[in-house]
Every structure is written in C-alpha cells, then in structure tokens.
Amino acid sequence: MTSIIEVAKKRFRNHSKFGGPVTLEDFIDLLTESYNNGLKCCYCRCQMYLTQAEANHATSVVSVDHRVSLWSGGRNERANLCLCCVGCNLLKGTSPGCVFEEIVGAVLASPVGFLNWNAYKVHAYAGQIRAKLDRIKPYGVD
C-alpha cells in the first residue's frame, strides 16, 4: 500500500509550482486528517483512494483542489485546499467550491443522484483522456 507521505510528496510537487505558503507538512496533515476520517471527497462524499491501483475507478483517486481556484483569485494556502476525487476536480474546473457544492447537492438529492453523479464523473474523466489522445500524433503523421 502506498503511504500517505509518498502521496503527499507527489501532490506537493504538483502544487509547489503555484507558490504560496503551502508546505509539505500541510499536505501530510491534510491527507492524514482525511485518511483518519475515512478519506471521503469533500464535494460528493464518495470513498477515495490514495492510488489508482487501490481505486475501483480512476475517478475515485484522491486529488487536491483549491476551493477558490487560482484562476479566480484564490490563494495557494492550506485554508483554500481540500481533498476531492479526481472526477469532482475535473467537473469543478475553475468554479467556486461553494457553487459546485450546491450543484453536487442538487444532483445527489435526486432519487438516482449518486448513480447520475458517478456517470458525470466518468464522462468528464473520459473526455480528458480523449483530449490528451487527440493531441498525440503517430510518428510520421502531419
């Protein structure tokens, strides 16, 4: 099993490029606190996993999100970070966390909400993969 510290180091490397006062210890604390509380997505409350190898689907892997996106003027600081599943992170994009939470709540409140929400997450993840594949050109093809 991958350790919390290994995952924290990887996530910290990804986020340290944004600058700000976030430290590796902040990431370790964030992951440890969430892990001790069942590692649930801060938006849809689904079960998350530290690595894709442990997850039942790629959208269930833990990711770090800025509640107020950097693009929208949010800061790269501990108070603005939360742990969410990859699917919610993709769907949220640059929208504010509070607005996104309302959307998620409305979908989950419907009779088949959780099934619909998981379908949305899978669709968003598949779209991201397709976009990456579209940018890759086979050798020798213009």
Side-chain angles (χ1 to χ4, degrees), residues 30-98:
L30 187 66
L31 276 164
T32 302
E33 179 184 318
S34 183
Y35 190 82
N36 290 339
N37 291 320
L39 206 58
K40 301 285 185 184
C41 174
C42 67
Y43 298 118
C44 73
R45 307 300 299 152
C46 76
Q47 178 65 50
M48 296 187 299
Y49 300 89
L50 293 175
T51 67
Q52 192 165 342
E54 299 169 18
N56 56 355
H57 196 280
T59 61
S60 301
V61 178
V62 67
S63 68
V64 180
D65 183 47
H66 294 93
R67 284 193 174 274
V68 178
S69 71
L70 300 175
W71 185 82
S72 300
R75 296 181 44 108
N76 193 35
E77 57 191 16
R78 172 66 172 89
N80 191 34
L81 299 178
C82 67
L83 295 180
C84 66
C85 64
V86 169
C88 282
N89 203 344
L90 287 171
L91 286 170
K92 178 182 170 280
T94 59
S95 62
C98 59

Side-chain angles (χ1 to χ4, degrees), residues 137-142:
K137 293 184 178 179
Y139 180 75
V141 175
D142 291 326

